[in-house]
Amino acid sequence: MKEQTDTRILVLFNTEQGGTYKLAQAIATGIEKLEGTKAILKQVPRIKGLENESKMPFANIPYAHISDLTAYDGIAFGSAVHFGNMSADMRYFLDQSVAIWTARKLEGIPATVFMSAGSGAGREAAILSFWNTLAIHGMTLVPTGIMGSGEIDKSIPQGNTSFGTTSLAGAPGSPRPSSGELQLATLQGYALAKAAKGQQLLKNSMNTKLPESDHIEAQLRKLGITLPDAPKPVGNYKPYKVSGKLVFINQIALKQGKIEYAGKIEEEVTEEQAKMATRQTLLNILAVLKEAAGGNLDHVKQAVQLTGYFYTPAGYAKHAMLMNEASDLLGSIFKEKGLHTRATIGASSLPMNSPVEIQAVFELE
């Protein structure tokens, strides 16, 4: 039972010489000082591998996948300072989080930043620059303030900032990170753990008080999803048809009256854009489904079938990968009730130049 209630925090770092890794270890130590929290260390994948990486002390730390960002209750990000910014490896990794951002999956998740700077130049600017990305994701930023500044050894240069711990990797006077910098990192990890634990307890408390008749709406709020207005018919047809207890719905990637990412996939539309259009199409289906269910999605017994049509060139073979965006979203909202059978089909054209059209069948209670 304890394992289910643990607060799990990702310590995600990028290092070359090992200085940032040592800070990451101290961050993890601080995290686990709070009872019921667990730190998991992972590295950002490298654009170019290190020649001697197998001999480095961090060689056995696993590389992260972009999906790891959504699997934890808090995240500590660590990087070397490169020209007043994060490293290229960290930047490239975070640039892959567009779909996570549009799905608002990191909103409210506590985050903190620690860095290692050779000369110390630009370290505060680098942390603030790093914060920009996390703020765009809606994450809750955890700074260090003046914690630990009263006890730190002031006879040597130290990497203490008000925004996050840094190590002055090239400064003389002691091995780096210094014992003072490591202590600041430990305090920073503990502060992040408290924020993550509090956020988790609040979330759990809110979930236990949800009305029995509001499960799906609550899940939508939890996922940060607001359903659009149900699209209106543009021809002589109905937006849905109920036969017995089955509801039949067809939708394309309309958003506020316009097609989201119009055009042929891999020619005018990237696969990432096609995934976002697929997500929008599924949201349109759910908006119509809500109307069919009398305004209450809890009246939906189960999803039965999804059929996805994708505007693709001849020979395209990744339709199922695109359709996963709809299936995964349906599953995250309806859980077991969202499991369905599925077909994916390539099309030479679709209405209004939409990259995707989805036919859906649901069963009502």
Side-chain angles (χ1 to χ4, degrees):
M1 185 68 179
K2 183 180 186 298
E3 195 169 284
Q4 295 177 346
T5 58
D6 273 353
T7 301
R8 300 171 70 251
I9 299 176
L10 175 64
V11 183
L12 181 66
F13 67 93
N14 175 234
T15 189
E16 292 186 6
Q17 301 301 321
T20 310
Y21 171 54
K22 291 178 181 178
L23 288 177
Q25 289 178 304
I27 291 278
T29 297
I31 288 170
E32 295 192 346
K33 283 183 179 291
L34 185 66
E35 184 178 358
T37 60
K38 181 174 177 60
I40 295 89
L41 274 74
K42 292 192 177 184
Q43 297 188 70
V44 169
R46 299 183 188 282
I47 299 172
K48 182 180 180 180
L50 297 177
E51 291 183 5
N52 62 340
E53 184 170 355
S54 62
K55 299 179 181 179
M56 300 300 281
F58 49 83
N60 293 326
I61 303 298
Y63 285 114
H65 184 270
I66 194 65
S67 61
D68 285 327
L69 293 181
T70 64
Y72 296 89
D73 302 300
I75 307 175
F77 295 89
S79 168
V81 174
H82 282 193
F83 299 103
N85 211 319
M86 67 182 77
S87 68
D89 292 325
M90 181 66 77
R91 179 72 272 165
Y92 181 74
F93 183 79
L94 292 177
D95 281 346
Q96 300 172 60
S97 66
V98 174
I100 292 173
W101 167 60
T102 56
R104 301 169 61 182
K105 292 182 179 180
L106 293 180
E107 285 188 2
I109 301 297
T112 199
V113 176
F114 59 97
M115 306 190 81
S116 181
S119 65
R123 65 187 191 277
E124 291 189 339
I127 294 178
L128 291 174
S129 177
F130 207 129
W131 277 10
N132 288 341
T133 298
L134 306 185
I136 291 295
H137 272 288
M139 303 187 80
T140 300
L141 302 174
V142 180
T144 50
I146 59 171
M147 61 177 66
S149 60
E151 296 78 35
I152 198 168
D153 180 3
K154 298 179 177 61
S155 66
I156 62 171
Q158 301 280 9
N160 54 323
T161 79
S162 297
F163 311 112
T165 303
T166 65
S167 174
L168 307 186
S174 74
R176 297 292 169 157
S178 68
S179 59
E181 290 164 349
L182 292 172
Q183 174 60 13
L184 291 173
T186 302
L187 294 173
Q188 185 174 354
Y190 185 72
L192 176 63
K194 289 194 295 182
K197 174 65 74 173
Q199 180 77 358
Q200 184 188 46
L201 291 173
L202 177 62
K203 186 186 300 183
N204 291 343
S205 174
M206 292 175 65
N207 287 345
T208 59
K209 297 177 181 178
L210 294 174
E212 288 296 319
S213 61
D214 196 25
H215 287 166
I216 301 303
E217 290 295 333
Q219 184 67 6
L220 290 171
R221 290 193 296 270
K222 180 180 177 181
L223 295 171
I225 295 172
T226 301
L227 293 183
D229 293 333
K232 303 301 181 185
V234 293
N236 188 23
Y237 62 89
K238 292 184 176 182
Y240 65 87
K241 188 73 174 181
V242 178
S243 178
K245 292 188 176 182
L246 296 180
V247 183
F248 297 82
I249 304 170
N250 281 27
Q251 285 294 318
I252 55 178
L254 277 172
K255 185 175 183 180
Q256 297 178 345
K258 296 181 179 180
I259 293 296
E260 181 89 327
Y261 304 114
K264 183 181 287 187
I265 297 166
E266 278 201 331
E267 294 184 6
E268 301 155 285
V269 178
T270 67
E271 288 181 340
E272 197 63 37
Q273 290 171 332
K275 288 180 182 180
M276 289 187 276
T278 302
R279 177 184 175 85
Q280 181 63 40
T281 304
L282 196 279
L283 292 178
N284 291 341
I285 285 173
L286 295 181
V288 174
L289 177 63
K290 185 174 180 178
E291 286 190 359
N296 187 350
L297 287 171
D298 287 305
H299 293 164
V300 177
K301 184 175 182 179
Q302 63 176 336
V304 178
Q305 166 79 19
L306 291 184
T307 302
Y309 298 85
F310 293 92
Y311 182 16
T312 56
Y316 186 83
K318 293 184 280 186
H319 308 83
M321 178 267 291
L322 301 176
M323 192 60 183
N324 284 343
E325 191 72 18
S327 294
D328 291 346
L329 179 58
L330 197 59
S332 66
I333 294 170
F334 285 92
K335 305 298 182 183
E336 290 294 323
K337 292 182 179 181
L339 296 178
H340 53 276
T341 58
R342 195 178 83 175
T344 53
I345 301 167
S348 59
S349 66
L350 287 174
M352 297 178 68
N353 211 27
S354 177
V356 57
E357 178 175 359
I358 296 177
Q359 296 179 342
V361 181
F362 294 86
E363 183 181 2
L364 299 178
E365 296 283 3

